[in-house]
């Protein structure tokens, strides 16, 4: 099939490349010509393990094209995916759809034949209806919702082996075409699920808010564990082994972040408000996640005995999760400015390099290697669970200095933390020394 992806951000680029990899011909369109030029020299503008190679292979095989020429891409394609950004409006919970609606107007202007228009961006319930209005209910276009469930850092695997593929349309004749599109994945066992268009739009929000709820719940249980000498990982395992609960997304941590959970929980509350439905659980989740950030900052202060001024603090990993360079809503964006404000001297290391977010902070320095970053630290904060931090030898890293380590991801095995001068703190585990 011939496909057009509008927007070469995370969703458009990963999905487009993976669609090409399962045999379709894909035209990825972006208004940003510099980006298109970069892609045409087979360089990915985003950090995603495996994506560079996949772009190169499919580009070479003439299945993947990058262009700024919307008209050409639209008219060569049967299905057009809208993959543009849907940020929250400033100072409001609601979602800004200007990029989606602009893309629809642009398609309408250039499109000649019959087209299926699919929203892949996360859009509020009823957006498909609005798109139909913009298209003046023309019979030329069928509007479909096909939310994506890709996780950053694992997106290629998530695309190729999805738990389910959700298609929402008000015209059931379209389901056969969409099933054909995904047949290489369905043949390998992925579940294909159809519903009406509003149903698919809601599924995306409900899924992300549910996952955020799971994380927030275990984070609160971790707070309790710290008071009563219980290991939260035992609780995660103990409850997660019940198939009705499920073991995934029960890792306690510093608070959920990234470009999706914070935005989509708020987006769902806003949808509820519009419909006059009180989504009180989701509201509590958002509030609890915000409170957690303060709680973690207080704990850091407590570890430093409330004397932060001139303390040397080293942060390992600053992105919101591993295998990505994404800083959006990362807890490090709270921790580092807080420490600097209180007079600490901060050093940080991240496998994806220096971050512009900290460039203008005085007393905050990036180091290219872990050794240099933690040298002389009074406190090391293990912020992101990169694999390379799992086997660190803290004995040789800290030498004989007395140092504290705050492991925000429970990455280290308490048995392995044998360094004599190291005081170890973690999330929801009994204290070991
Ligand atoms: C999330 C969803 O998992 C994807 O299914 C969805 O497609 C995507 O949002 C989206 O809407 O585009 P993502 O934000 O990339 O994916 O990352 P996650 O792996 O879900 O992690 C989100 C946050 O939750 C991170 O801050 C992570 O550290 C935290 N988390 C995750 C935990 O604290 N504990 C866990 O057990 C899992």
């Amino acid at each position: 099939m011939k496909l057009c992806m509008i927007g070469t951000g995370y969703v458009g680029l990963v999905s487009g490349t993976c669609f090409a990899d399962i045999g379709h011909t894909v035209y990825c369109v972006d208004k940003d010509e510099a980006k298109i030029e970069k892609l045409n020299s087979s360089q990915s503008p985003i950090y995603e393990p495996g994506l560079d190679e996949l772009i190169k292979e499919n580009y070479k095989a003439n299945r993947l094209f990058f262009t700024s020429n919307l008209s050409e891409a639209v008219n060569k394609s049967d299905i057009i995916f809208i993959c543009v950004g849907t940020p929250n409006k400033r100072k409001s919970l609601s979602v800004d759809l200007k990029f989606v609606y602009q893309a629809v107007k642009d398609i309408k202007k250039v499109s000649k034949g019959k087209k299926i228009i699919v929203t892949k961006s996360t859009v509020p319930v009823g957006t498909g209806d609005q798109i139909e209005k913009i298209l003046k209910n023309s019979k030329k276009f069928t509007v479909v919702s096909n939310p994506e469930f890709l996780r950053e850092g694992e997106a290629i695997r998530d695309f190729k082996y999805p738990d389910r593929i959700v298609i929402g349309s008000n015209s059931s004749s379209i389901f056969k075409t969409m099933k054909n599109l995904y047949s290489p994945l369905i043949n390998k066992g992925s579940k294909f699920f159809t519903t009406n268009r509003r149903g698919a739009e809601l599924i995306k929000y409900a899924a992300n808010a549910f996952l955020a709820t799971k994380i927030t719940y275990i984070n609160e249980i971790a707070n309790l564990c710290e008071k009563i000498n219980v290991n939260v990982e035992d609780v995660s395992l103990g409850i997660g082994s019940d198939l009705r609960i499920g073991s995934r997304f029960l890792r306690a941590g510093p608070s959920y972040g990234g470009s999706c959970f914070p935005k989509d929980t708020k987006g769902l509350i806003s949808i509820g408000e519009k419909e006059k439905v009180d989504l009180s659980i989701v509201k509590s989740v958002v509030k609890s996640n915000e409170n957690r950030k303060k709680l973690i900052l207080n704990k850091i202060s407590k570890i430093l005995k409330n004397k932060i001024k001139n303390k040397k603090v080293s942060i390992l990993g600053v992105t919101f999760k591993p295998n990505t360079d994404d800083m959006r809503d990362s807890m490090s964006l709270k921790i580092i400015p807080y420490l600097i404000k209180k007079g600490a001297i901060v050093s940080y290391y991240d496998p994806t390099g220096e971050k512009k977010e900290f460039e203008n902070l005085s007393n905050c320095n990036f180091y290219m290697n872990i050794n240099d970053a933690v040298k002389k630290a009074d406190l090391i904060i293990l912020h992101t669970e990169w694999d390379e931090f799992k086997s660190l030898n803290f004995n040789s890293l800290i030498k004989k200095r007395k140092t504290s380590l705050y492991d925000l991801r429970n990455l280290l095995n308490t048995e392995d933390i044998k360094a004599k001068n190291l005081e170890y703190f973690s999330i929801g585990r009994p204290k070991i020394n």
Side-chain angles (χ1 to χ4, degrees):
M1 284 175 145
K2 293 196 169 59
L3 317 176
C4 167
M5 315 300 291
I6 299 188
T8 57
Y10 198 81
V11 175
L13 187 56
V14 173
S15 310
T17 306
C18 289
F19 273 132
D21 203 52
I22 60 171
H24 300 297
T25 302
V26 182
Y27 302 93
C28 293
V29 189
D30 207 294
K31 287 182 173 165
D32 183 342
E33 290 187 11
K35 210 172 181 188
I36 291 299
E37 203 174 304
K38 205 170 171 193
L39 284 162
N40 274 322
S41 57
S42 281
Q43 285 173 55
S44 165
I46 57 168
Y47 180 100
E48 179 64 34
L51 186 62
D52 267 330
E53 294 78 0
L54 220 55
I55 291 176
K56 271 186 200 121
E57 275 170 35
N58 287 284
Y59 186 82
K60 236 169 138 185
N62 277 328
R63 283 194 298 265
L64 185 59
F65 300 91
F66 301 104
T67 177
S68 299
N69 188 334
L70 179 82
S71 173
E72 197 186 335
V74 163
N75 287 308
K76 276 182 175 167
S77 305
D78 315 300
I79 309 180
I80 301 154
F81 286 90
I82 297 181
C83 309
V84 295
T86 52
N88 279 118
K89 281 187 182 151
R90 285 191 84 200
K91 294 190 182 149
S92 143
L93 296 178
S94 66
V95 179
D96 190 346
L97 289 165
K98 66 171 182 252
F99 300 120
V100 172
Y101 293 149
Q102 189 55 51
V104 175
K105 287 175 195 157
D106 293 345
I107 297 167
K108 186 174 167 237
K109 211 190 271 170
V110 300
S111 173
K112 295 194 180 102
K114 275 191 151 194
K115 304 287 169 202
I116 299 173
I117 298 179
V118 183
T119 50
K120 245 202 187 304
S121 306
T122 302
V123 292
V125 179
T127 302
D129 305 348
Q130 290 303 321
I131 292 176
E132 273 187 348
K133 275 191 195 150
I134 294 174
L135 298 167
K136 304 230 163 24
N137 295 317
S138 159
K139 291 270 176 296
K140 252 171 66 183
F141 301 105
T142 312
V143 182
V144 174
S145 166
N146 170 211
E148 58 83 19
F149 302 103
L150 311 176
R151 285 166 300 165
E152 289 188 26
E154 329 236 6
I156 292 170
R157 201 210 139 273
D158 283 350
F159 184 95
K160 292 196 171 174
Y161 304 96
D163 291 338
R164 77 304 203 187
I165 295 152
V166 175
I167 304 293
S169 174
N170 298 347
S171 79
S172 55
S173 59
I174 224 70
F175 294 142
K176 202 170 155 220
T177 312
M178 295 305 285
K179 199 168 183 179
N180 276 343
L181 172 73
Y182 281 106
S183 60
L185 310 181
I186 298 165
N187 294 343
K188 278 192 299 181
S190 296
K191 204 184 271 174
F192 182 78
F193 177 77
T194 61
T195 176
N196 64 12
R197 198 170 51 216
R198 286 176 163 237
E201 289 168 343
L202 181 57
I203 284 168
K204 170 68 191 200
Y205 280 95
N208 273 1
F210 190 82
L211 293 168
T213 304
K214 249 183 132 175
I215 297 166
T216 307
Y217 177 76
I218 203 67
N219 282 342
E220 289 196 352
I221 294 293
N223 293 344
L224 184 60
C225 288
E226 285 177 18
K227 299 272 184 199
I228 58 176
N229 212 25
V230 169
N231 189 333
V232 71
E233 286 146 83
D234 294 344
V235 180
S236 292
L237 194 67
I239 63 173
S241 307
D242 183 332
L243 292 182
R244 291 171 302 174
I245 295 172
S247 58
R248 297 171 74 192
F249 279 67
L250 282 180
R251 276 181 291 110
S255 67
Y256 63 75
S259 62
C260 306
F261 290 173
K263 172 170 80 72
D264 294 347
T265 42
K266 289 175 192 148
L268 184 56
I269 294 170
S270 152
I271 295 169
E273 277 170 359
K274 200 172 145 222
E275 302 300 331
K276 301 198 169 34
V277 175
D278 182 19
L279 297 172
S280 65
I281 294 175
V282 191
K283 284 182 189 165
S284 303
V285 166
V286 171
K287 194 168 159 216
S288 174
N289 200 55
E290 282 308 310
N291 288 342
R292 182 159 193 78
K293 294 177 185 168
K294 291 179 209 141
L295 194 140
I296 298 286
L297 296 182
N298 285 340
K299 177 83 184 262
I300 292 172
S301 177
K302 215 168 145 196
I303 294 172
L304 291 169
K305 309 212 165 35
N306 298 322
K307 290 186 183 121
I308 302 181
K309 201 167 167 49
N310 294 328
K311 286 281 166 23
K312 295 188 177 66
V313 184
S314 171
I315 322 285
L316 296 184
V318 290
T319 53
F320 84 97
K321 63 182 279 190
N323 301 318
T324 178
D325 59 357
D326 199 335
M327 289 293 292
R328 283 175 286 181
D329 255 298
S330 174
M331 184 59 193
S332 69
L333 294 171
K334 296 278 175 210
I335 295 176
I336 293 182
Y338 168 80
L339 287 168
I340 298 287
K341 200 170 156 216
K342 296 270 176 187
I345 298 148
V346 174
S347 56
Y348 76 95
Y349 164 79
D350 191 279
T352 59
E354 191 169 5
K355 301 295 163 201
K356 64 176 183 336
E357 286 80 355
F358 305 129
E359 251 170 27
N360 297 327
L361 294 178
S362 52
N363 284 331
C364 176
N365 292 306
F366 169 73
Y367 288 86
M368 306 278 277
N369 70 67
I370 301 172
N371 256 300
D372 291 343
V374 304
K375 213 192 268 175
K376 297 184 184 155
D378 299 297
L379 168 65
I380 301 167
I381 299 175
L382 215 163
H383 174 274
T384 315
E385 67 274 37
W386 286 89
D387 277 346
E388 67 182 273
F389 301 150
K390 284 183 185 160
S391 50
L392 285 179
N393 181 341
F394 283 93
N395 256 327
S396 71
L397 275 179
I398 63 165
K399 308 272 182 325
K400 286 197 171 118
R401 282 172 302 107
K402 194 164 169 15
T403 307
S404 302
L405 171 65
Y406 192 11
D407 179 358
L408 291 175
R409 304 287 179 168
N410 290 355
L411 193 64
L412 307 176
N413 192 333
T414 40
E415 292 302 304
D416 298 337
I417 308 295
K418 292 280 193 268
K420 272 201 192 111
N421 294 306
L422 194 72
E423 199 179 5
Y424 180 71
F425 301 87
S426 53
I427 300 278
R429 280 170 168 176
K431 201 166 178 301
I432 56 161
N433 49 8

